[in-house]
Amino acid sequence: MLDKLFKPKSIAVIGASNKPYKIGKTVVDNLTISYHGKIYPINLNEKEINGLKCYKSILSVPGKVDIVVIVVPSKNVPRAVEECGNKGVKYCIVITGGFKEVGVEGAKLERKIFETSKRYGMQLLGPNCFGLMNTSIGLNTTFSPIMPKEGNIAVFSQSGALCATLLDWAYREGVGFSKFISLGNKADLNENDFLETLEEDDETCVILGYLEGVVDGEKFIEITKRVTKKKPLVLIKAGKSSSGARAVSSHTGTLAGTEKAYKAAFIKNGAIRAESMEEWLDAARVFSTQPLPNGDKVAIITNAGGPGVIAADACDTYGVSLANFSHETIKKLRDNLPDTASIYNPVDVLGDADPGRYGIALETVLKDENVDGSIVILTPVATTRPFEMAREIARVAEKIKKPILASFMGGTLTDAGIKYLEEHGIPNYCDPGRAVACMKNLIKQHQNTERVEEKPTIFGDVDRKKVEEILYQADKPNVGFMDCIKILEAYKIPVVGYGFAKTAEECVKVADKIGYPVALKIVSPDILHKTDVGGIKLNIEGDESIIKAYDEMMVDINKREPDARILGVNIQEMVREENKEMIIGVNKDPQFGHLIMFGIGGIYVEILNDVSFRIAPMSKKDAYGMIREIKTYQLLTGVRGERPVDTDCIAEVLMRISQLVTDFKEIVELDINPLAGFEKGCKVIDIRMTRGN
Amino acid sequence: MLDKLFKPKSIAVIGASNKPYKIGKTVVDNLTISYHGKIYPINLNEKEINGLKCYKSILSVPGKVDIVVIVVPSKNVPRAVEECGNKGVKYCIVITGGFKEVGVEGAKLERKIFETSKRYGMQLLGPNCFGLMNTSIGLNTTFSPIMPKEGNIAVFSQSGALCATLLDWAYREGVGFSKFISLGNKADLNENDFLETLEEDDETCVILGYLEGVVDGEKFIEITKRVTKKKPLVLIKAGKSSSGARAVSSHTGTLAGTEKAYKAAFIKNGAIRAESMEEWLDAARVFSTQPLPNGDKVAIITNAGGPGVIAADACDTYGVSLANFSHETIKKLRDNLPDTASIYNPVDVLGDADPGRYGIALETVLKDENVDGSIVILTPVATTRPFEMAREIARVAEKIKKPILASFMGGTLTDAGIKYLEEHGIPNYCDPGRAVACMKNLIKQHQNTERVEEKPTIFGDVDRKKVEEILYQADKPNVGFMDCIKILEAYKIPVVGYGFAKTAEECVKVADKIGYPVALKIVSPDILHKTDVGGIKLNIEGDESIIKAYDEMMVDINKREPDARILGVNIQEMVREENKEMIIGVNKDPQFGHLIMFGIGGIYVEILNDVSFRIAPMSKKDAYGMIREIKTYQLLTGVRGERPVDTDCIAEVLMRISQLVTDFKEIVELDINPLAGFEKGCKVIDIRMTRGN
C-alpha cells in the first residue's frame, strides 16, 4: 500500500527554488543529499537547481513522475494539482499552508484541490503538511534541516511542529526512524491509510502517532485493532480537556471527538495512549530496543535503598507487579551478595557493589521463571563504576532475552555508563519511576499480542424485519414508548409486562394477563406532563382498583385538559421483586459510531459519574468488561446481605442492544432507565429511543 | 539553631587517611579544598595528611573543636564518640555505617553512641550518613567528589545515595545549593532540627526533602506548617505503596507511617509532595528562579498548535486555569499578530513567528491583570531562531515580575536558546506538560503564603473533669457504651435519647422520658451476640409494647443463656426523622497522633472507600474541608429531592471529637457509626471507644 509514495522512482518539486532559506530550495536540497531516484525541479524562471535541470512545468518533464511535492503559494496550488493530474502523477504532497486551517476560503480551496486530485485518480498528502520521509531509501520530501538515521520507529503526526521537534530530539538522542509522515490537514490521505501501510512495513517495529482527531473512527478501530496485535502503537490524542479541545478547534478545525469515545476506542483497539510528550518518546525508545516481557512480574536491582523504594512505589502506581523470587534465586542471591544486602525484591546490592556483583544479581533474577523483566538502578555513590556496570548489564542483556531498563541516576558521573547502555540498546531513565512507566507499556503490549480477538456476539433469534417496519413507519425522531417495547421484544430483550387499553374493561383484561400490581399511564399526543393532570396511577392491585383508577383518570383529565385527544392508556407491570436499578445508554459519536454506556442508576450515575463505555459492536468480553469496570461493581455481586444481580442477563442485554444499534445505524440515542436486575434475570422498565435521519 | 554545625570554626576528622580512595582521605581532601577553618586529621599512624598535622587522638588536639567527622569502622565509633565528649565537642557527624540498618546488633551500637553523646550534651548527625555541606563557607564534610556551587536550594535526605545523585545532577545542570544534609539513621538530629534551621536560613529559598518516615510527626507538622508559609517545602515521601513500604523497612528500619496519615499531614502543613524524582528536581529549579504567581490563571504562548493543545490538556489535568484575556489584551494581540494567529489562550503566534512577535505577545499577556504567569512553547520549525527568542523572553522576564516557564522543545536546534534561558533564570522543560506541573506547584505555594492559619477550635463548654473520671475509672480498654455516651455528652456532642432500666416499670419511665419509638438492648457481660439470644428489640411503640418486649426478652434469654448475668437493659431512642447516616472515626497514628476520618455510611465507605482524613487538633476549615472533600459530598447537600443535611452540626461534632481526643491522648480508637444527620441537627446513634495505656 502507498508503495509508490514511499518508494518513488521519480519526484518533481513544483515551486523549487535557488533562493536560500526558501522552502522550495530546502526541499530540493534534502532530496539531492540522499535520494537516488530522479529529481525534477519545476520553476518558471530557473534553468538549474543544485545542478539539476529545471522545468517550466510538470507537463514539460520528459519521463514519468511518481510523486510531486508542491510548495507554491496556496492560490497557485489548484493549478499545480491540475497539471499533476494531466501528467499522470500518482501522489501529490502539498506542503503549502493557507487552507482549511485559516478559515472558510481556505476550506474551499482545499475542497477544490481534493476534487481535482480525485478526478485524476491521484492521492494527496496534506495540504499544510511537513512532507514525509523513508529513511531506508534516503527519501526526504520535507524542509527539515535534519534527516534522521535509519531505525525501526515510524511516526505520523497531525502537527508538523511536533514532527520538527521529534526529528531534532531524535538527532540528539541518536534515535532512528523508518518512516516519518506529517499528515497536515488530511484532505485525502489520513491516519488510516498510513496505519495500513505501517502495519505491513517490515522496517517498522513501533508506530508513534499524534492525533487531534480521526477521520473515520470505525475504520480507525478496525485497522488499529489489527495493528496492535502485531506491533505497539503509541498515540498522543491531544485535545482531551475542554480547554485542549478549544485549542484544537482553533488550530486545525478538526472536530474533536469526545474524550469518552476516545477512551472507549483505546480500550477496543489496544493502542497505548501516551499522556505526555515524555511518555511518548520514552515508549518509542523502549519498544524500539526491548523484547516484550511474558508477564507483568518485575525485579528491581539497586545499589541504594531510597531509589529502590521510589521504584517500588512507582510499580504500585502503574500496576506493575514486584516478582516473588523462587527459593533457588533467593539462595543464589544469598550466597553471592553480602550479608547486609536485601535479597528480596527490590534487591539492594549495596553502595559498595562492584560491577560483578551487579551482574550476578541481574543474571540470577532474570533466570528466575517468576521474573519477566528487570529495572536496574544505579546511583553514583563512592565506589560505583558506572561504565563497567553498564558493560555487565549489556553482557547479561545479550544472554537473556527479557526486557532490561536502566535507571542510572545523576549527571556527569554516570554519563559514560548511560552512553554505553544506549549504544547497546538498553534505554536509560534518570528517574526510576519513568523506567517503571515504560515497563508498564511493555507489559501492556505483551497483553495485546496475547489478546484473542473476540467477534461481536450475534444473536440469531432477533426479528430484524419487525424493527425495520417500526422504525420506517415512525414519523418523528422520538420513537413512541410502545414502539420501543416492540423493538426490544423483537431483539429478545426482556421487558416488564405491558399492554394498551381503551376502556376500563380492556384494562382489566390486560392487567389480568400481566399480573398485578400494575401502573396506568395516559396515552395522548396532547399531554406532555402526565403527572400534572393525573395521568399516572401506580401500584394498582386488583380488578376493582383498576376500573376505579381508570375512571378517576378520565374524569381528572377531562377536567384539566378537556381538549386533549385521548388514545387510551398504557398498562405496565410494577416490579415487586428485590432488584437493583441500572442504566444502559447509547449515543452515536460522530467519529466512532454507537457508544454504549452502562451504570448503576440513581446517585451512582448522577453524583459519582460511575459509568463505563464501549463502542459497538460489542463482544462478550466487552459486555462483561464494562459491567466489571464500574467502581460500584461490588453492588451487583451482593454486598451487605443483598442478593447478587444476574450479570449474565445484563451482559446479554448489553450485547443485544449493541446488535440492535449496529443493525440499525439510524438509532442515534437510546436510554434504558431503569433496567431492573434481579437475582435471576433482568427487565427493562423504561426506555426512550431517538431515530436519526 | 545548629549554628556551630553549619559554621564551625574547627573540624576534626577521626579516621582521616592518606590512602587514596579511602573515605577518610576524601573527607580531608574535600575540607582542604574550600573550608577556611581549622582542620585536624586524627589518625594513630600518620604524621601529616594533605600537609596538615595529624593527631593520634581528638584529645591531643590543642584548641577547641566545634565538629568532628567520624569515619572509623563501626566497632570503633563508640570510643570515638566518648572521646569527642571528653574533648567538649558540640557535634559529631558519623558517616560510618553498620548500625540500625544492618540489624539488632547494629541498633544496640547506635543506641550506645546516642546515649554517650547525650551524656556529654553533644548532638549527632547520622550514623550511616553522607555528611553535610554549607556552600556559603565552602564547608563539605562529605566524601562526595562533587562540591556544588552556591545557590538558594537546601536539601535534606534520608537516603545518602539520593544526595550523591542530586549533587551529580546539579553539577551538570549548573544548579547551586545553600545547605545539603544527609540525615542517615537519624539517631539524634532529624528532619525537624534541620527544618527549623532552614526555616530561618536567609540563604535558603526552597527546601527539598526526601523522607521515608518522620521521627516526631506532631512536631514535624508544627514546624512545617510554619516553614511552608515562608518558603516552599518540596518532599518526596517514599514507601507509600505496600511494596514500597516493604522496601523501606528492609532499608533503614524506619517504621513507615501509613500513607493516609501522610496524606493528611501534607494537607495540614502545605508541603508540596513530589510524586517522582523528576517532579522534585523540576520544583527545585522553578522555585529557585521564579517569583510566585498571584493566582492560578496562566497564559500559554506557542508557535505551533499541537504543543499548545498538549499544554492546555495538561492545565486541565493539573487544575491550572487558562486565563481569559481582557478586551484590551485581545485588541493588542489582534493588532500585532497575523490574521491567522490564534489570539485567545493558548496564543498561537504561528510557525513563522520572529523573536519580536513572540516578545510582544508575551509582554502583552503578562501585562494583563487576568494573567498570573505564562508558559512559552517553542518548536524548532523552519524560521525559528531559538537563541533570539530566548533573549526576548529574558527581556520580558526582566520587566514583568510574573513567573515565566519555557518549553523549548526538540534537541540540538533549541540548545543554545535553552542555555541562554537557564543562564537568565528561566527554567526550560522539554515537555510542555512538565512546565504546567511546575506552574501548578508555584500556584500551590502562592496559596500557602496566603493561607491564614486557623487555630483549632476550642469549645469552652465541655466538661473535661467528667471525662477524666470516666476514663480513669474504666478497667478495660473498651469503654462501655453508656460511658461512651456520657463522654460524648460531657463534650456536648448530640446523642440519641437513651436510658438504663432494670425492670419493666423502669423501662416505661425511661421510654416516656425519651419518647417512642425506642429500642431495647440487653446489658450483660456474658452475652456477646445480643441478636442471637433475642437481646435486641427494635421499634417499640407505647408503654404496653415495651413491657411486653421486656418480658419476652427476659424469657428468651433465660431459655437460651440461663447462666448469663443480666445487669438490665439499655433503652434507646429510634430516629424517625429522615436522615443520612455518616461515620466519624478516630485512629491514633504512631507518627502523627489522632487521625480523624469522615464518610457517609453504608456502601459509600465500604465499597467506594470514600472517606477523608485530617489530623487532630482540627480547625473549622479542617472540619468543613473534610466534609466537602468526600466524593459523595453532594449527597449531603440534597440531591434528587432529598433534604440537605445540617453540615454545620456535623462540622461541630468533628471539631468536638477532635478536641476530645486532643484532650485525652489515651483515646486510641473511636468509632461513631452511625451519626444520623438531619435537616437540622445531627445525633450520634452508636459509638465505640478504646482507651490505650
Side-chain angles (χ1 to χ4, degrees):
Chain A
M1 300 214 20
L2 303 181
D3 216 50
K4 277 270 178 300
L5 180 61
F6 284 105
K7 288 177 186 161
K9 295 222 158 54
S10 51
I11 303 179
V13 180
I14 302 185
S17 172
N18 258 327
K19 293 198 188 108
Y21 300 114
K22 289 281 267 185
I23 287 180
K25 163 80 171 132
T26 316
V27 169
V28 177
D29 286 350
N30 285 343
L31 287 171
T32 320
I33 288 167
S34 53
Y35 170 67
H36 299 299
K38 283 182 188 132
I39 306 167
Y40 305 109
I42 316 287
N43 184 313
L44 260 181
N45 310 312
E46 301 283 353
K47 291 233 158 111
E48 210 184 89
I49 295 177
N50 288 10
L52 298 164
K53 179 175 167 20
C54 200
Y55 296 87
K56 300 225 175 301
S57 149
I58 181 79
L59 294 168
S60 53
V61 171
K64 234 183 104 184
V65 177
D66 287 337
I67 72 179
V68 172
V69 183
I70 299 176
V71 295
V72 294
S74 58
K75 66 176 193 306
N76 301 332
V77 172
R79 202 183 127 196
V81 172
E82 185 85 42
E83 287 181 359
C84 290
N86 279 322
K87 175 71 184 169
V89 167
K90 290 283 274 179
Y91 298 101
C92 290
I93 300 175
V94 184
I95 289 179
T96 309
F99 292 87
K100 192 174 69 182
E101 80 281 10
V102 299
V104 180
E105 285 307 310
K108 271 192 209 158
L109 207 60
E110 185 165 323
R111 186 82 212 148
K112 191 170 170 188
I113 63 169
F114 170 71
E115 281 164 0
T116 305
S117 69
K118 288 300 107 179
R119 208 166 61 233
Y120 289 103
M122 287 190 296
Q123 287 193 288
L124 210 66
L125 175 59
N128 186 29
C129 81
F130 188 72
L132 61 76
M133 297 176 176
N134 177 8
T135 55
S136 67
I137 61 156
L139 175 69
N140 178 3
T141 78
T142 79
F143 53 97
S144 165
I146 294 168
M147 173 72 177
K149 64 178 195 178
E150 277 188 64
N152 57 14
I153 305 168
V155 177
F156 64 89
S157 167
Q158 208 173 331
S159 159
L162 275 193
C163 292
T165 302
L166 208 52
L167 289 171
D168 193 14
W169 167 83
Y171 180 70
R172 168 152 67 186
E173 305 283 318
V175 170
F177 295 106
S178 54
K179 311 280 185 290
F180 208 96
I181 306 123
S182 163
L183 297 173
N185 289 2
K186 307 195 284 194
D188 180 10
L189 290 169
N190 60 49
E191 54 279 351
N192 290 338
D193 302 297
F194 291 104
L195 279 162
E196 282 192 313
T197 305
L198 297 172
E199 178 190 357
E200 303 297 339
D201 181 25
D202 293 336
E203 288 158 359
T204 296
C205 290
V206 46
I207 305 170
L208 295 196
Y210 169 87
L211 289 172
E212 292 171 359
V214 297
V215 169
D216 178 344
E218 293 180 42
K219 197 168 169 198
F220 173 75
I221 286 177
E222 183 200 313
I223 298 168
T224 49
K225 261 165 66 177
R226 250 175 18 227
V227 169
T228 60
K229 285 275 296 177
K230 295 189 199 163
K231 42 186 102 173
L233 170 62
V234 188
L235 294 177
I236 294 185
K237 163 62 186 73
K240 61 183 176 172
S241 63
S242 47
S243 33
R246 198 173 61 206
V248 168
S249 65
S250 73
H251 168 44
T252 52
T254 307
L255 180 69
T258 65
E259 169 60 16
K260 273 166 189 160
Y262 276 98
K263 218 178 134 196
F266 289 155
I267 290 176
K268 194 152 190 141
N269 71 4
I272 289 164
R273 184 167 186 175
E275 297 296 341
S276 65
M277 275 294 286
E278 195 166 83
E279 192 184 351
W280 202 46
L281 302 177
D282 281 356
R285 208 202 289 262
V286 81
F287 282 120
S288 73
T289 58
Q290 293 303 298
L292 293 182
N294 281 315
D296 68 346
K297 309 262 179 309
V298 169
I300 295 169
I301 296 182
T302 178
N303 69 343
V309 181
I310 290 176
D313 279 350
C315 284
D316 197 70
T317 302
Y318 292 114
V320 170
S321 305
L322 284 183
N324 286 315
F325 299 146
S326 70
H327 292 300
E328 204 187 331
T329 299
I330 288 172
K331 190 181 171 307
K332 194 153 181 209
L333 290 174
R334 186 176 287 130
D335 292 347
N336 287 284
L337 299 184
D339 287 352
T340 52
S342 170
I343 53 174
Y344 300 96
N345 202 359
V347 177
D348 188 344
V349 295
L350 302 182
D352 63 349
D354 59 10
R357 199 194 289 167
Y358 250 103
I360 205 158
L362 180 60
E363 195 166 340
T364 304
V365 300
L366 279 180
K367 278 183 177 162
D368 190 325
E369 279 189 356
N370 302 322
V371 174
D372 301 309
S374 181
I375 291 169
V376 185
I377 298 168
L378 179 142
T379 57
V381 288
T383 53
T384 314
R385 308 202 303 266
F387 182 76
E388 285 141 292
M389 299 287 196
R391 280 215 307 220
E392 266 304 297
I393 294 169
R395 182 188 63 75
V396 176
E398 188 62 36
K399 270 168 79 171
I400 304 173
K401 291 299 161 215
K402 292 183 179 178
I404 301 175
L405 309 185
S407 183
F408 280 27
M409 299 165 78
T412 50
L413 299 174
T414 45
D415 270 350
I418 292 170
K419 189 156 176 278
Y420 187 90
L421 284 173
E422 294 191 338
E423 282 166 5
H424 289 75
I426 296 160
N428 187 75
Y429 306 88
C430 53
D431 184 330
R434 269 170 69 186
V436 176
C438 283
M439 192 59 89
K440 172 204 73 174
N441 284 335
L442 285 172
I443 293 166
K444 159 104 200 233
Q445 182 56 22
H446 158 69
Q447 289 161 349
N448 273 341
T449 59
E450 299 256 295
R451 194 177 68 200
V452 178
E453 206 51 66
E454 258 191 33
K455 288 242 178 304
T457 313
I458 307 275
F459 297 93
D461 57 359
V462 305
D463 186 348
R464 197 168 162 155
K465 219 174 137 86
K466 190 170 172 192
V467 176
E468 225 170 88
E469 277 168 28
I470 299 172
L471 279 179
Y472 293 118
Q473 271 167 21
D475 53 350
K476 283 185 304 184
N478 293 325
V479 183
F481 175 74
M482 292 305 282
D483 282 341
C484 288
I485 295 287
K486 282 179 205 155
I487 289 172
L488 292 182
E489 285 184 339
Y491 269 66
K492 300 277 186 295
I493 293 164
V495 290
V496 291
Y498 71 91
F500 177 75
K502 292 187 169 185
T503 65
E505 291 67 39
E506 277 179 33
C507 283
V508 171
K509 242 187 261 172
V510 172
D512 285 347
K513 209 180 75 195
I514 294 171
Y516 290 106
V518 296
L520 223 57
K521 293 178 189 170
I522 194 74
V523 179
S524 161
D526 304 316
I527 296 174
L528 274 178
H529 302 288
K530 297 187 180 82
T531 316
D532 298 352
V533 296
I536 292 185
K537 302 264 178 191
L538 302 174
N539 288 312
I540 301 165
E541 286 271 13
D543 294 351
E544 268 175 53
S545 304
I546 202 167
I547 293 172
K548 193 170 153 240
Y550 178 86
D551 290 344
E552 271 179 22
M553 187 180 287
M554 292 306 147
V555 170
D556 281 353
I557 290 176
N558 195 31
K559 225 181 286 171
R560 296 184 200 160
E561 293 268 0
D563 299 332
R565 288 163 294 168
I566 307 297
L567 305 181
V569 291
N570 278 332
I571 298 156
Q572 200 177 321
E573 174 192 353
M574 294 209 64
V575 169
R576 218 183 332 206
E577 199 186 331
E578 183 186 321
N579 72 84
K580 186 93 30 204
E581 296 197 341
M582 283 155 294
I583 294 180
I584 293 177
V586 179
N587 203 63
K588 198 162 178 185
D589 180 78
Q591 275 163 318
F592 294 105
H594 287 107
L595 204 59
I596 298 183
M597 182 190 89
F598 172 74
I600 299 183
I603 56 124
Y604 306 103
V605 168
E606 283 173 32
I607 294 183
L608 296 171
N609 202 2
D610 184 19
V611 288
S612 54
F613 288 91
R614 289 294 184 280
I615 290 169
M618 298 206 307
S619 67
K620 210 165 168 174
K621 199 174 118 194
D622 286 330
Y624 281 94
M626 74 187 295
I627 294 172
R628 289 196 194 110
E629 193 181 299
I630 60 168
K631 292 185 220 98
T632 43
Y633 169 62
Q634 276 187 71
L635 288 181
L636 301 179
T637 62
V639 277
R640 293 161 63 90
E642 288 178 0
R643 293 201 186 120
V645 168
D646 186 348
T647 44
D648 293 332
C649 180
I650 303 168
E652 193 178 320
V653 170
L654 284 165
M655 289 183 279
R656 285 179 182 274
I657 289 291
S658 158
Q659 183 171 348
L660 172 67
V661 297
T662 305
D663 288 347
F664 296 94
K665 302 237 178 283
E666 55 269 53
I667 299 175
V668 291
E669 265 181 356
L670 184 157
D671 266 303
I672 294 178
N673 184 10
L675 171 77
F678 309 105
E679 193 173 4
K680 208 162 163 43
C682 63
K683 277 181 187 173
V684 173
I685 293 183
D686 202 1
I687 173 160
R688 284 155 192 251
M689 203 184 291
T690 311
R691 202 197 52 187
N693 298 313
Chain B
M1 299 212 23
L2 303 180
D3 215 50
K4 276 268 177 300
L5 180 61
F6 284 107
K7 288 179 185 159
K9 294 220 157 54
S10 51
I11 304 179
V13 180
I14 303 185
S17 171
N18 258 326
K19 294 197 188 108
Y21 301 115
K22 291 279 270 184
I23 287 179
K25 165 80 171 132
T26 317
V27 170
V28 178
D29 285 350
N30 284 343
L31 285 171
T32 321
I33 289 167
S34 54
Y35 172 66
H36 300 298
K38 282 181 188 133
I39 306 168
Y40 304 109
I42 315 287
N43 184 312
L44 260 180
N45 310 310
E46 301 283 354
K47 291 235 159 111
E48 212 183 86
I49 295 176
N50 288 9
L52 297 164
K53 180 175 166 25
C54 200
Y55 297 84
K56 299 224 175 299
S57 152
I58 180 79
L59 294 169
S60 55
V61 170
K64 235 183 104 185
V65 177
D66 287 337
I67 73 178
V68 173
V69 183
I70 299 177
V71 296
V72 294
S74 57
K75 65 176 194 306
N76 300 332
V77 172
R79 202 183 128 197
V81 173
E82 185 85 42
E83 288 181 359
C84 289
N86 278 324
K87 176 70 182 168
V89 166
K90 289 284 272 180
Y91 296 101
C92 290
I93 299 174
V94 184
I95 288 179
T96 310
F99 292 86
K100 192 174 70 181
E101 80 280 9
V102 300
V104 181
E105 285 307 310
K108 272 192 208 156
L109 207 61
E110 185 165 322
R111 185 82 211 147
K112 193 170 168 186
I113 62 169
F114 170 70
E115 280 163 359
T116 306
S117 71
K118 288 299 107 177
R119 209 165 62 235
Y120 289 103
M122 288 189 296
Q123 287 192 289
L124 211 69
L125 175 59
N128 186 32
C129 81
F130 188 72
L132 61 75
M133 298 173 174
N134 178 7
T135 55
S136 67
I137 61 156
L139 175 67
N140 178 4
T141 79
T142 79
F143 52 97
S144 164
I146 294 168
M147 173 71 177
K149 64 178 196 179
E150 278 188 64
N152 56 14
I153 305 169
V155 178
F156 64 89
S157 167
Q158 207 173 328
S159 160
L162 275 194
C163 291
T165 302
L166 208 52
L167 288 171
D168 193 14
W169 167 83
Y171 179 69
R172 168 153 64 186
E173 305 283 317
V175 170
F177 295 106
S178 54
K179 311 281 184 290
F180 207 96
I181 306 123
S182 163
L183 297 173
N185 290 2
K186 306 196 284 195
D188 181 10
L189 288 169
N190 60 49
E191 55 278 352
N192 289 338
D193 302 297
F194 292 104
L195 279 162
E196 281 191 313
T197 305
L198 297 173
E199 179 190 357
E200 302 298 340
D201 181 25
D202 292 336
E203 288 159 359
T204 296
C205 290
V206 46
I207 305 171
L208 295 196
Y210 170 88
L211 288 172
E212 293 173 359
V214 298
V215 169
D216 179 343
E218 293 180 44
K219 198 169 170 199
F220 174 76
I221 286 177
E222 183 200 312
I223 297 167
T224 47
K225 259 165 64 177
R226 251 179 13 230
V227 170
T228 59
K229 284 276 295 176
K230 294 189 200 163
K231 41 187 104 171
L233 171 61
V234 188
L235 294 177
I236 294 186
K237 163 63 185 71
K240 61 183 175 169
S241 63
S242 47
S243 33
R246 198 173 63 208
V248 168
S249 64
S250 72
H251 169 44
T252 53
T254 307
L255 181 69
T258 64
E259 169 59 16
K260 272 165 189 161
Y262 276 98
K263 219 179 133 196
F266 289 155
I267 291 176
K268 194 151 189 138
N269 72 3
I272 289 165
R273 185 166 186 175
E275 297 296 341
S276 66
M277 277 291 287
E278 194 167 85
E279 192 183 351
W280 202 45
L281 302 177
D282 281 355
R285 207 201 289 262
V286 81
F287 281 122
S288 73
T289 58
Q290 292 304 299
L292 293 182
N294 281 315
D296 68 346
K297 310 262 179 308
V298 169
I300 296 169
I301 296 181
T302 178
N303 69 342
V309 181
I310 290 176
D313 279 350
C315 284
D316 196 70
T317 302
Y318 292 114
V320 170
S321 305
L322 285 183
N324 286 315
F325 300 144
S326 71
H327 291 299
E328 201 187 336
T329 300
I330 288 172
K331 190 182 172 306
K332 194 154 180 208
L333 289 174
R334 187 176 287 133
D335 291 348
N336 286 284
L337 299 183
D339 286 351
T340 53
S342 170
I343 51 174
Y344 299 95
N345 202 0
V347 177
D348 187 345
V349 294
L350 302 182
D352 63 349
D354 59 9
R357 200 194 291 167
Y358 251 104
I360 205 158
L362 180 60
E363 195 166 340
T364 304
V365 299
L366 281 180
K367 278 184 177 162
D368 190 326
E369 279 189 357
N370 302 323
V371 174
D372 301 307
S374 180
I375 292 170
V376 185
I377 299 168
L378 178 143
T379 56
V381 287
T383 53
T384 314
R385 306 201 306 263
F387 183 76
E388 286 142 292
M389 299 287 196
R391 280 214 307 220
E392 267 303 297
I393 294 170
R395 180 188 65 75
V396 177
E398 190 62 37
K399 271 169 77 170
I400 304 173
K401 291 300 160 212
K402 293 183 179 178
I404 302 175
L405 309 185
S407 183
F408 279 29
M409 300 166 77
T412 49
L413 297 175
T414 45
D415 271 350
I418 292 171
K419 189 155 176 281
Y420 186 90
L421 284 173
E422 294 189 339
E423 282 166 4
H424 290 75
I426 295 159
N428 187 73
Y429 306 88
C430 52
D431 184 330
R434 270 170 70 188
V436 175
C438 283
M439 192 59 89
K440 171 204 72 174
N441 284 335
L442 285 172
I443 292 166
K444 158 105 200 229
Q445 181 56 23
H446 158 69
Q447 288 160 350
N448 273 340
T449 59
E450 298 256 294
R451 195 176 66 199
V452 178
E453 207 51 65
E454 258 191 35
K455 290 239 178 305
T457 313
I458 307 276
F459 297 92
D461 57 358
V462 305
D463 186 347
R464 197 168 162 155
K465 220 174 136 90
K466 191 171 171 193
V467 175
E468 225 169 272
E469 277 168 27
I470 299 172
L471 278 179
Y472 292 119
Q473 272 168 19
D475 53 349
K476 283 185 304 185
N478 293 326
V479 182
F481 175 73
M482 292 305 282
D483 282 343
C484 288
I485 295 287
K486 281 179 206 154
I487 290 172
L488 292 183
E489 285 183 339
Y491 268 64
K492 300 278 186 294
I493 293 163
V495 290
V496 292
Y498 71 91
F500 177 74
K502 291 186 168 185
T503 64
E505 289 69 38
E506 279 178 31
C507 283
V508 172
K509 241 187 263 171
V510 173
D512 284 348
K513 209 180 74 195
I514 294 171
Y516 289 106
V518 296
L520 222 57
K521 292 178 186 170
I522 194 74
V523 179
S524 162
D526 305 317
I527 295 174
L528 275 178
H529 301 288
K530 298 188 180 81
T531 316
D532 297 352
V533 298
I536 291 184
K537 301 264 180 192
L538 302 174
N539 287 313
I540 301 165
E541 285 272 13
D543 294 353
E544 268 174 51
S545 304
I546 202 168
I547 293 172
K548 193 170 152 239
Y550 179 84
D551 290 343
E552 270 179 22
M553 187 182 285
M554 293 306 147
V555 171
D556 281 352
I557 289 176
N558 195 29
K559 224 182 284 170
R560 296 185 198 159
E561 293 266 2
D563 300 332
R565 289 163 293 169
I566 307 298
L567 305 181
V569 291
N570 278 331
I571 297 156
Q572 201 178 320
E573 175 192 351
M574 293 210 65
V575 169
R576 218 183 331 206
E577 198 185 333
E578 183 186 323
N579 72 84
K580 187 88 33 202
E581 297 197 340
M582 282 155 293
I583 294 180
I584 293 177
V586 180
N587 204 64
K588 199 165 178 182
D589 180 79
Q591 277 165 317
F592 294 105
H594 287 106
L595 202 60
I596 298 182
M597 183 190 90
F598 172 75
I600 299 184
I603 56 126
Y604 306 105
V605 167
E606 283 172 31
I607 295 182
L608 296 171
N609 203 2
D610 184 19
V611 289
S612 55
F613 288 92
R614 288 294 184 280
I615 290 169
M618 298 204 308
S619 66
K620 209 165 168 175
K621 198 175 119 194
D622 286 328
Y624 281 93
M626 74 188 295
I627 295 172
R628 287 194 198 112
E629 192 180 299
I630 60 168
K631 291 184 221 99
T632 43
Y633 169 63
Q634 275 187 70
L635 288 182
L636 302 179
T637 60
V639 275
R640 291 162 63 88
E642 288 178 0
R643 293 203 186 118
V645 168
D646 186 347
T647 45
D648 294 333
C649 180
I650 303 168
E652 192 178 321
V653 170
L654 283 165
M655 288 183 279
R656 286 180 181 272
I657 288 289
S658 159
Q659 184 172 348
L660 172 68
V661 297
T662 305
D663 289 346
F664 296 94
K665 301 240 178 278
E666 55 270 53
I667 298 175
V668 291
E669 265 180 358
L670 184 157
D671 266 304
I672 293 177
N673 184 10
L675 170 78
F678 309 107
E679 194 173 2
K680 207 163 164 45
C682 64
K683 278 181 188 175
V684 173
I685 293 183
D686 201 2
I687 174 160
R688 286 153 191 250
M689 203 185 289
T690 310
R691 202 197 51 186
N693 297 310

